[in-house]
Amino acid sequence: MQVIPPRETDLGGLVVRRLLPRAARRTIGPWCFLDLVGPLSFRAPVMDVPPHPHMGLQTVSWLLEGEMLHKDSLGSEALARPGTLNLMTSGRGIAHSEETPATHSGRLHAAQLWVALPDVDRDIEPAFDAYGERPIVDLAGGRAVVILGEVGGVRASGRTFSPIVAAELTIDGGAEIAVPLARGFEHGLVPLTGACTSAGDPLAIDHLYVVEPETGTLRLRAGAGGTARALLIGGAPFGEEILMWWNFVARTTDEMAAAREDWQARRRFGEVTRYAGDRLEAPAFHAKPVPANPMS
Ligand code: MN
C-alpha cells in the first residue's frame, strides 16, 4: 500500500496532522481533506476556531475522545461526542465555528474531513445535520462503526451526494478482521490507536495507507498487546477536477476570488451569531501563485 506520512500544521496553537490533500495524493473518492487532532489532555479548552466560511463541500467531524461544539450561520449549535456524527453540507455557502465546550472531559482525539460536492449539487442550500448512534457491523475479531455509507450490507443514515464510505474499525488484541470493500471504490486507511499489521507489515499510527485498487477484502491484525483502531474512508473515483483554497472547494479561480470577496463583504455565508468573538479574516488570494523557487 502507498503510505503518506502526516504533515504537522499549527492551527493557532493547536497542532493537527494533515493527511489530505497532499502532493502525493489529493483525494480518495470525494474525500479531499483529512486532519487528525490528538489524543490530547488539557485543562484550558484547546480548540477555538472562530467563524469561517465553507463552500462546495461537506464537513465530517468524528471524535474518538472528547467533545467539540459546533455553531453555524443557520443558527445550529451541536455538541459532537464519540459515536455521533456532525455533518455540515456547505452547498453554496455557510459559516461555522468549532470550540472545546466550557464543560469538557479534558481530552480530545478527532478526525476532521471534507467531502467534495459534485458539480450538480455544489450550489445547493446549506444544511447541518447531527446524527446519533451509528450502526455497528460485527466482524469476527472486531467491529466497524459505519460513519457514512455502507459496510457489509449495513448502511448508516446521512446525507451523501456520491458513493462514499467512512468507518471506524476496531480490532481486538491478537485478532484479525476482514473488512469487505466496495468494488470500484478508492479506499484509504488510517491507523489511530494500538498496533496493527496488514499482510504482516506493521502500520504506523496517523499515516494514510492508500489501499491497492480492486482489493475486495482488507485484512488487519491487531498486536497481542491490545485493541487497535483505524479509520477507513473510500468512495467512487470523484472524476471532477477540483480547486481547493483556504476553506473553499471550487472549479475556477474566479469562483474562489468571488467567495473570498463575499466573505470579506459579509455576503452569502451568513453570521455565526452564537459565537462570542470575531470572525476569521480571509487570507490574500493569488489567482496564479508563483511556484516556490528553491534557488532564491
Ligand atoms: Mn471549518
Side-chain angles (χ1 to χ4, degrees), residues 225-247:
T227 299
R229 283 194 290 180
L231 177 70
L232 175 72
I233 57 172
F238 192 58
E240 295 180 27
E241 285 281 330
I242 58 169
L243 290 182
M244 293 177 68
W245 175 78
W246 197 34
N247 299 304

Side-chain angles (χ1 to χ4, degrees), residues 57-193:
L57 56 87
Q58 292 179 293
T59 65
V60 171
S61 301
W62 184 254
L63 275 73
L64 287 95
E65 290 185 83
E67 308 80 20
M68 224 162 66
L69 184 61
H70 159 99
K71 298 171 182 171
D72 66 39
S73 51
L74 304 175
S76 321
E77 185 166 329
L79 186 66
R81 284 202 173 93
T84 68
L85 168 65
N86 274 9
L87 180 63
M88 184 177 79
T89 304
S90 78
R92 60 188 300 274
I94 195 170
H96 75 147
S97 62
E98 291 164 297
E99 305 158 77
T100 302
T103 304
H104 57 76
S105 60
R107 297 283 298 171
L108 184 63
H109 192 189
Q112 295 204 276
L113 305 106
W114 299 354
V115 183
L117 290 173
D119 193 48
V120 292
D121 296 309
R122 66 195 181 95
D123 285 327
I124 61 172
E125 291 300 312
F128 175 80
D129 298 291
Y131 297 96
E133 293 288 291
R134 304 280 79 200
I136 296 172
V137 182
D138 195 35
L139 304 167
R143 64 214 62 86
V145 178
V146 188
I147 302 169
L148 273 176
E150 181 198 313
V151 175
V154 176
R155 175 165 288 278
S157 59
R159 222 170 152 215
T160 57
F161 296 85
S162 63
I164 193 172
V165 69
E168 184 191 307
L169 308 175
T170 299
I171 313 141
D172 298 331
E176 184 181 78
I177 59 169
V179 186
L181 300 183
R183 199 173 280 273
F185 273 25
E186 300 168 348
H187 287 98
L189 179 80
V190 183
L192 296 171
T193 65

Side-chain angles (χ1 to χ4, degrees), residues 243 245 252-254 256-257 284-292:
L243 290 182
W245 175 78
T252 68
T253 54
D254 284 353
M256 217 53 110
F285 178 64
H286 302 287
K288 290 179 181 169
V290 179

